[in-house]
């Protein structure tokens, strides 16, 4: 492990006023989103859409890194430039989702664990050669009656630690992504409890595995009530609760913290992040790593009018710019 390489990659990823764009939807997730909008679910359509995202003019002012899925990492523009080379020419870091999705957690109804450790060392070596400088591994947690269970949190945390160790051994910055799923009727308080306890469990395992904290990034869900809860919570309250939880449970020494958007509205994702940056100085760099909250307007526009790539790109860059402003507390 070369600590210097890891620290420098982290610094480039969390450099203000930028954040990360996640375009790492698996084949099935990408196809589901395409189907909803009537876009054919072919490899060529996925390539065409990702080309639009990768080549958007001036997006490098707001975005420090893109997270790819394996298929996308190997794709090229219509005129033959690899997506990796396009990003590198703009000074954008190339990231790769390396988990292989989730599976039922045997004996624990309603809970999932993440797959993908088998052969991971070899895959990371290949990704590094291709140009990836950071990686991502996501685990999901359901909030409900006695959920998430201690067993589920522990199993996912152990796997996060194994993944992060392998990444760092290959000079790849690990993004550790525990996502408390937005589905359900749970309250802000329940969301806080689940997130806080889970972060404790995750960091216990990361410490036990001797992870180099300055060379990793935490990607977390915000502390928000479930989407079916019939409560209205202000952006300020979400910001305060999230920052309180992170200050209590995340080491100051971590390279940075980024958020997923997780199905909240595009506007809330911006306003919540903006509000966090108005709470005063924070102990760690804090920015976004959104998928849907940045892509939504561009994808909808392109699905309706695939010929107008320029319009879709304009919408993408606008969303990236709004989030960039939020990442320094200057979104109006
Ligand atoms: P969303 O912002 O759409 O939740 O995606 C981020 C991500 O990387 C999910 O794993």
């Amino acid at each position: 492990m070369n600590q210097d390489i890891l620290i420098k990659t982290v610094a480039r990823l969390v450099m203000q006023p930028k954040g990360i764009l996640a375009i790492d939807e698996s084949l099935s997730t990408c196809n589901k989103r395409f189907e909803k909008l009537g876009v054919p679910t072919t490899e060529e359509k996925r390539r065409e859409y990702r080309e639009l995202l990768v080549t958007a003019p001036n997006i490098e002012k707001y975005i420090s890194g893109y997270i790819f899925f394996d298929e996308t990492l190997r794709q090229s523009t219509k005129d033959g430039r690899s997506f990796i080379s396009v990003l590198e020419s703009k000074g954008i870091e190339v990231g790769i989702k390396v988990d292989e999705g989730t599976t039922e957690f045997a004996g624990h109804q309603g809970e999932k664990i993440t797959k993908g450790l088998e052969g991971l060392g070899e895959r990371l070596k290949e990704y590094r050669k291709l140009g990836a400088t950071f990686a991502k591994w996501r685990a999901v947690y359901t909030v409900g009656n006695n959920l998430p269970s201690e067993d589920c949190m522990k199993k996912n945390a152990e796997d996060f630690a194994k993944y992060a160790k392998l990444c760092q051994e290959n000079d790849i910055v690990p993004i550790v992504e525990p996502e408390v799923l937005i589905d359900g009727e749970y309250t802000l308080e329940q969301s806080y409890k689940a997130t806080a306890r889970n972060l404790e469990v995750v960091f216990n395992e990361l410490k036990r595995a001797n992870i180099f904290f300055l060379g990793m990034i935490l990607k977390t869900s915000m502390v928000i009530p479930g989407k079916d809860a019939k409560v209205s919570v202000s952006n300020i309250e979400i910001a305060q609760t999230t920052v309180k939880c992170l200050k209590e449970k995340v080491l100051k020494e971590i390279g940075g913290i980024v958020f997923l958007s997780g199905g909240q509205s595009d506007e809330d994702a911006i306003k919540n992040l903006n509000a966090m940056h108005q709470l005063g100085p924070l102990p760690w760099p804090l920015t976004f790593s959104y998928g849907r909250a940045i892509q939504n307007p561009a994808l909808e526009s392109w699905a309706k009018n695939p010929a107008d790539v320029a319009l879709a790109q304009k919408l993408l860059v606008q969303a990236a710019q709004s989030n960039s402003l939020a990442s320094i507390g200057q979104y109006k």
Side-chain angles (χ1 to χ4, degrees), residues 7-227:
I7 286 176
K8 285 187 174 144
T9 303
V10 168
R12 287 192 297 269
L13 284 170
V14 298
M15 182 196 301
Q16 286 192 326
K18 299 188 190 185
I20 297 171
L21 175 57
I23 63 161
D24 61 334
E25 298 82 10
S26 64
L27 298 185
S28 76
T29 303
C30 184
N31 288 345
K32 267 187 227 146
R33 298 207 178 135
F34 276 15
E35 262 165 25
K36 245 187 170 168
L37 298 166
V39 177
T41 55
T42 61
E43 180 175 348
E44 175 51 22
K45 271 300 196 190
R46 290 192 297 271
R47 193 206 59 75
E48 198 183 313
Y49 174 57
R50 264 71 179 256
E51 171 166 348
L52 164 178
L53 301 178
V54 165
T55 58
N58 294 322
I59 197 152
E60 63 275 15
K61 287 198 216 158
Y62 315 113
I63 301 292
S64 56
Y66 277 51
I67 315 175
F68 282 151
F69 181 68
D70 185 271
E71 175 183 83
T72 315
L73 188 82
R74 300 169 196 283
Q75 285 173 327
S76 302
T77 60
K78 196 93 188 156
D79 62 11
R81 290 169 299 150
S82 72
F83 287 173
I84 295 176
S85 69
V86 174
L87 292 189
E88 285 175 346
S89 72
K90 294 168 177 251
I92 295 176
E93 301 292 308
V94 175
I96 176 78
K97 168 189 171 77
V98 299
D99 66 71
E100 293 176 335
T102 58
T103 184
E104 301 302 322
F105 185 26
H108 291 78
Q109 219 193 346
E111 295 202 290
K112 295 205 160 130
I113 52 172
T114 302
K115 300 178 291 184
L117 281 175
E118 210 183 304
L120 180 57
E122 290 315 304
R123 286 195 285 135
L124 286 168
K125 283 185 181 51
E126 192 206 354
Y127 290 141
R128 176 82 215 175
K129 267 196 209 126
L130 288 171
T133 57
F134 70 105
K136 166 189 131 168
W137 178 283
R138 169 176 174 262
V140 297
Y141 308 87
T142 304
V143 181
N145 261 347
N146 295 322
L147 296 184
S149 69
E150 284 291 316
D151 285 353
C152 180
M153 291 189 281
K154 177 98 163 81
K155 168 69 178 140
N156 276 322
E158 286 167 357
D159 290 350
F160 271 135
K162 288 179 192 152
Y163 144 80
K165 193 87 201 156
L166 282 169
C167 286
Q168 291 193 332
E169 280 168 4
N170 286 287
D171 299 332
I172 289 180
V173 168
I175 294 187
V176 167
E177 183 185 10
E179 174 173 1
V180 172
L181 295 170
I182 198 173
D183 313 277
E185 294 185 356
Y186 59 86
T187 62
L188 184 69
E189 180 60 23
Q190 283 172 292
S191 173
Y192 166 80
K193 275 197 184 138
T195 307
R197 175 62 191 146
N198 187 46
L199 286 173
E200 238 166 51
V201 175
V202 168
F203 278 93
N204 281 344
E205 292 303 322
L206 294 174
K207 270 186 222 158
R208 202 198 299 270
N210 231 344
I211 298 305
F212 174 54
F213 285 107
L214 286 171
M216 72 157 269
I217 291 175
L218 171 72
K219 173 162 172 168
T220 178
S221 35
M222 293 178 187
V223 180
I224 47 179
K227 74 170 189 288

